[in-house]
Amino acid sequence: MLKSYNFPSVYEATNQELSNVAENILDGIKINIDDTDYIVGNLALVEGYSPHKNINAAPTDEEYKLLSKAGLLLTQPKGEEEIYLTTGFPFATYMLYRDKALETLQGRHIINYDASTFGGPTNTKREVNVGKVEVIPEILGCTIAIREGQLQEKENFFTVSLGYGTCEAVVSTRAGIINRSAVSTHGIRHAVNLLANELAKNFYLNLKTEHQIDVAFQQGSITVNRVKQNILDIREKVLRMYYQEIIAPNLRRAFIDDDFNKCTKMYLVGGGALYTELVDCFKEEFGDVVEVIVYPEPEKCASQGYCLNSKIKAGAARNNIPSNIEAEEIKIFRNPQLAVGMDIGNANTCITIYKDGE
């Protein structure tokens, strides 16, 4: 059984004492790093003055470390249970960040957090032991979710991941992904910026942060000078511009006739797949040649694929303990393991845990 926890990838340093302001840990993440308190995710949106996010953060950045600790905090391992963790990056940054991510995430993490936000003690520590880390391309995580998750897809298909910072696409066959077909280009952020430019023609946006504009983009409305403005028409306009100017030209260059001969389905994943206006663009262009399918809860797809990868690899590791392994190293194979997938996205961070029998 896969259990996913999703929170906005936003944060803000704070000196506020926040007690009993949230119902649970997901809505009340407050973490201390290097003697500085940060409110993260949903709590930052509620209690923050100007929460912000970083785009395509490197594993060495404080933002990445903060969001990864918040994610690990939500895994809540029991006792000596070790985590088998899989995460990933877009093709554009995968090779650049892979080794640094391994260094950052591998090993024991002491997470200092304030549990009083949801009724617990103020100074709390949780130790999380990441026994094994795998870093894979984000689009590969999505194809694993489609093949190994609830859909159990067995045929060849196109995958298009509509992320906030990056849009990626690839052809997935039963033998693996076709690297030649891989696409990596601008994400939904491009459309959000177009929206901000359109709004600025008529409204003073009062120094709203990029995340606040993104939230308005998602909701289809924005409040300016206490007046709520409907922006659905503008959103549809900029999403179509984004598709026509960015997505379509890249897909036409990458996907050739032989790919369409192999594939009969196109899966849309990532947060951008929640916008029906954007999905309609895909259906208008590809609907006559392939079946366009939106993955269930598309914003969780990569994280679920990462988690399934952890489950598969952890099971294989336990069944194939090398005969020459050192005694002190064998515990990763013998200790109880929690399969976890962590997608530190530009818009949202999603943690998925595999729990047997739930």
Side-chain angles (χ1 to χ4, degrees):
M1 177 69 179
L2 298 178
K3 176 67 175 178
S4 295
Y5 301 92
N6 207 36
F7 61 88
S9 297
V10 295
Y11 57 92
E12 182 176 292
T14 184
N15 56 8
Q16 297 183 81
E17 293 186 7
L18 301 170
S19 298
N20 297 302
V21 294
E23 293 184 356
N24 50 56
I25 189 171
L26 179 62
D27 294 328
I29 302 175
K30 185 182 178 187
I31 292 179
N32 183 282
I33 296 181
D34 297 330
D35 296 324
T36 301
D37 288 329
Y38 295 90
I39 47 178
V40 182
N42 296 322
L43 185 61
L45 294 185
V46 174
E47 297 290 350
Y49 292 96
S50 185
H52 53 283
K53 58 188 171 190
N54 195 14
I55 302 301
N56 293 328
T60 52
D61 292 343
E62 287 302 315
E63 293 88 347
Y64 187 94
K65 295 175 182 178
L66 178 63
L67 292 172
S68 63
K69 284 185 180 294
L72 291 174
L73 182 63
L74 295 174
T75 63
Q76 303 183 58
K78 301 173 182 177
E80 290 299 312
E81 192 173 40
E82 292 184 325
I83 288 177
Y84 196 115
L85 175 67
T86 301
T87 188
F89 296 96
F91 275 125
T93 56
Y94 169 67
M95 294 299 293
L96 179 64
Y97 292 161
R98 178 184 59 188
D99 292 343
K100 289 297 183 182
L102 289 171
E103 292 177 18
T104 300
L105 298 172
Q106 182 84 39
R108 291 184 180 271
H109 299 262
I110 305 297
I111 303 172
N112 299 298
Y113 67 104
D114 182 355
S116 69
T117 58
F118 52 95
T122 302
N123 298 312
T124 308
K125 289 186 179 181
R126 172 164 289 153
E127 182 175 312
V128 179
N129 185 15
V130 180
K132 177 71 174 176
V133 179
E134 281 211 38
V135 183
I136 63 177
E138 183 177 320
I139 198 75
L140 177 58
C142 295
T143 63
I144 292 173
I146 294 168
R147 291 196 179 278
E148 303 295 337
Q150 58 179 306
L151 299 180
Q152 292 289 301
E153 180 60 67
K154 303 301 181 186
E155 302 302 318
N156 303 326
F157 56 86
F158 299 98
T159 306
V160 182
S161 175
L162 300 165
Y164 185 79
T166 311
C167 169
E168 297 200 304
V170 76
V171 173
S172 173
T173 70
R174 282 167 284 188
I177 61 176
I178 299 177
N179 285 321
R180 183 264 309 153
S181 68
V183 173
S184 188
T185 188
H186 302 289
I188 295 294
R189 185 190 192 193
H190 182 85
V192 172
N193 288 336
L194 290 175
L195 175 82
N197 292 337
E198 287 287 329
L199 291 175
K201 295 176 184 177
N202 299 304
F203 305 105
Y204 172 56
L205 297 180
N206 196 27
L207 304 179
K208 292 185 184 296
T209 66
E210 179 178 334
H211 183 74
Q212 290 168 325
I213 300 294
D214 181 32
V215 170
F217 191 91
Q218 296 171 37
Q219 295 174 342
S221 63
I222 188 169
T223 301
V224 182
N225 294 327
R226 304 180 184 178
V227 179
K228 192 172 186 178
Q229 307 287 342
N230 187 304
I231 58 172
L232 287 174
D233 289 344
I234 304 176
R235 186 177 77 179
E236 180 175 6
K237 175 185 175 182
V238 298
L239 281 171
R240 286 191 171 274
M241 289 172 61
Y242 166 58
Y243 179 84
Q244 293 163 4
E245 295 174 4
I246 303 296
I247 297 177
N250 280 279
L251 296 188
R252 289 166 190 158
R253 284 194 295 268
F255 296 161
I256 61 177
D257 286 345
D258 187 53
D259 297 327
F260 287 97
N261 186 48
K262 290 187 178 81
C263 304
T264 59
K265 296 177 182 178
M266 177 179 288
Y267 285 96
L268 304 182
V269 304
L274 295 170
Y275 298 110
T276 56
E277 305 97 322
L278 191 54
V279 173
D280 288 344
C281 291
F282 282 92
K283 290 181 177 179
E284 289 166 11
E285 179 158 357
F286 298 105
D288 292 336
V289 289
V290 295
E291 182 183 3
V292 178
I293 303 168
V294 176
Y295 183 87
E297 296 185 293
E299 73 281 7
K300 299 177 181 177
C301 183
S303 174
Q304 292 178 354
Y306 294 154
C307 182
L308 289 167
N309 180 75
S310 292
K311 174 182 176 292
I312 294 166
K313 295 295 180 65
R318 282 194 297 270
N319 293 330
N320 296 282
I321 300 177
S323 58
N324 61 343
I325 193 168
E326 297 292 335
E328 62 268 19
E329 297 176 2
I330 204 168
K331 62 180 181 179
I332 181 59
F333 299 100
R334 289 184 173 167
N335 277 5
Q337 287 179 283
L338 185 65
V340 176
M342 181 165 63
D343 177 23
I344 301 179
N346 294 302
N348 294 285
T349 293
C350 188
I351 306 300
T352 299
I353 303 165
Y354 186 88
K355 296 185 176 180
D356 289 315
E358 293 188 19

